[in-house]
Structure formats: structure tokens, C-alpha cells
Amino acid sequence: MAHWYDGPAALRVGTDPRRIPLEVAASYRARTRGLLGRDGIDGAMLLTPAASVHTFRMRFAIDVAYLDRNLRVLDVVTMAPGRLGLPRLRARHVLEAAAGAMAGWGLTAGTTLEVDTP
């Protein structure tokens, strides 16, 4: 995708045909708000552009996947509330989901993602 916009989309992991609900946060305001103030998320949130995240004032633990410009997963970590994630070199996007969700989707380092927008 050449230009990202805030709003709903769908995520596909590797060759898995499932479409995971996705929220795209491309504006400064949407990226700053992220998952703050929520009790959970159904699906995932893509922060773009982003190279790091924090979980200060978050109510739940999250899985974080750092993605390169081609939506290839560089690293996946789980972060508890109140943590600061270090920036990752080559990361252009960050994908967030409830802790444990990414393992259930089979998302690991090296996996390539696809984003379908309406």
C-alpha cells in the first residue's frame, strides 16, 4: 500500500486464508491513542509509520510485531503494561494484538503479512 489511512481493514498472515480484523492507525492522533483506554482488542492494530511502542497506561498485555517496509515480520514480543519497547532497526510498522493472539495466527519472525483495505 503506497499511502496509509486510518480505518478498518483486514490482515492476512502468510498463506493462511483467514482475514483478521485490523484497525489502521496512520495519523499522528490515531497512533498516539493506539490501544490506550481499551480493555482489549478484537483482531489487531497496525501503527504506521512506527518503529517502537510503549504500554504505559495500558490495561492489558499485548503482542507486538515489528514489520519492515514490505510487511515482513522482523520480531515478535509480548509486552506487559507499563513497559517501553526499544526501537527496531528497519522497522517501519508495528502490529499490536492481545497477548497470545499472534501465536494463534502463526505469526513469527520472517512471516509476510498482507493488508486488505475496503
Side-chain angles (χ1 to χ4, degrees):
M1 176 177 259
H3 216 51
W4 295 94
Y5 299 96
D6 293 345
L11 178 70
R12 286 186 291 154
V13 177
T15 59
D16 190 331
R18 286 182 296 173
R19 294 168 51 93
I20 299 161
L22 179 69
E23 295 176 46
V24 176
S27 68
Y28 176 78
R29 182 178 187 149
R31 288 191 320 269
T32 302
R33 174 126 174 113
L35 296 174
L36 294 176
R38 297 186 189 194
D39 292 322
I41 181 171
D42 178 31
M45 178 175 279
L46 179 70
L47 306 174
T48 181
S52 67
V53 295
H54 69 82
T55 58
F56 300 122
R57 299 190 341 237
M58 295 262 315
R59 297 179 182 165
F60 59 101
I62 60 172
D63 284 345
V64 177
Y66 297 90
L67 313 175
D68 70 9
R69 69 182 74 241
N70 299 314
L71 299 181
R72 185 169 175 265
V73 178
L74 301 170
D75 193 17
V76 179
V77 298
T78 299
M79 294 177 63
R83 303 284 187 243
L84 177 63
L86 297 175
R88 297 298 200 275
L89 293 176
R90 298 188 344 256
R92 297 293 178 267
H93 317 280
V94 174
L95 185 69
E96 298 179 336
M102 291 184 186
W105 302 332
L107 196 148
T108 59
T111 304
T112 300
L113 307 177
E114 288 187 37
V115 173
D116 298 327
T117 55

